[in-house]
Amino acid sequence: MIKTTTVATTALLTMLGGTFLFQGVAHADSTTNTNATISVTSGGLNIDPLASIDFNAITLNGSSQTSKPKIEDISLNLRDRRGLSDGWDLQASYLKGASLGGGMTLKLAPTSDQGKVAAVSLNGSAQNIDVLDKADATKPDTKITLSPSIEVPAKTTPNQYTATIVWNVVDGAPSE
């Protein structure tokens, strides 16, 4: 019986020793690096279209009059998806060579949830309506309420008048 126990113990120790030997021969972990690459491009700086501004009709009465739009909330929405802090300025003018005619004046008295606004009387030169010196990428949308009105002189010839307004948003440092 002693012989059997010795052989069994020797066999057991040989197996355990062999296991430890093989564990010592195990290979070290391998390290590798992988680069993840993405290209991010700047989005646009856009104005949502404003198809028309329809004003209330005026009946001549011998005095100058002011017409307001048929609907109250006339606004532009400016969307800045550039992801930059560069400012912008929104400009307005009549289409080159156009005017409202009849001696009438189209005025804008804007308000905005961003930037510095200026009241203007439109003409053929681009005029700053809203200027934002430094954009905030967390506030990409700006609502500019225009509050337009038309001054109609007393001696305007009865007719239907139309002028095209050109809106232009200028990217980068605002102009003076």
Side-chain angles (χ1 to χ4, degrees):
M1 181 139 180
I2 292 179
K3 215 176 197 187
T4 309
T5 306
T6 305
V7 172
T9 305
T10 305
L12 179 63
L13 288 174
T14 303
M15 280 183 8
L16 288 175
T19 302
F20 291 123
L21 283 175
F22 287 118
Q23 284 181 349
V25 178
H27 298 290
D29 288 339
S30 174
T31 302
T32 184
N33 297 326
T34 301
N35 293 328
T37 305
I38 183 171
S39 178
V40 178
T41 58
S42 177
L45 181 59
N46 305 319
I47 306 167
D48 287 350
L50 177 61
S52 66
I53 304 172
D54 295 324
F55 286 87
N56 290 306
I58 293 286
T59 300
L60 296 173
N61 64 9
S63 298
S64 294
Q65 299 177 64
T66 301
S67 178
K68 299 282 185 183
K70 291 179 180 178
I71 59 172
E72 288 184 28
D73 184 20
I74 305 293
S75 57
L76 289 175
N77 292 308
L78 191 139
R79 302 200 185 286
D80 186 351
R81 303 291 193 256
R82 299 171 299 161
L84 304 172
S85 62
D86 294 349
W88 47 257
D89 57 357
L90 174 65
Q91 300 174 339
S93 66
Y94 285 133
L95 186 64
K96 186 173 178 143
S99 70
L100 195 54
M104 292 182 276
T105 305
L106 176 57
K107 295 181 178 186
L108 302 174
T111 58
S112 174
D113 56 7
Q114 292 193 83
K116 299 174 208 157
V117 294
V120 298
S121 296
L122 290 185
N123 57 43
S125 299
Q127 299 178 63
N128 290 338
I129 303 299
D130 192 357
V131 175
L132 185 64
D133 294 328
K134 186 174 180 179
D136 180 348
T138 65
K139 297 178 184 175
D141 298 327
T142 302
K143 180 180 180 181
I144 302 121
T145 303
L146 299 173
S147 303
S149 63
I150 296 178
E151 297 294 323
V152 181
K155 297 194 182 222
T156 301
T157 303
N159 200 348
Q160 183 163 334
Y161 296 89
T162 301
T164 301
I165 302 169
V166 176
W167 304 100
N168 186 31
V169 63
V170 179
D171 185 6
S175 61
E176 293 297 319

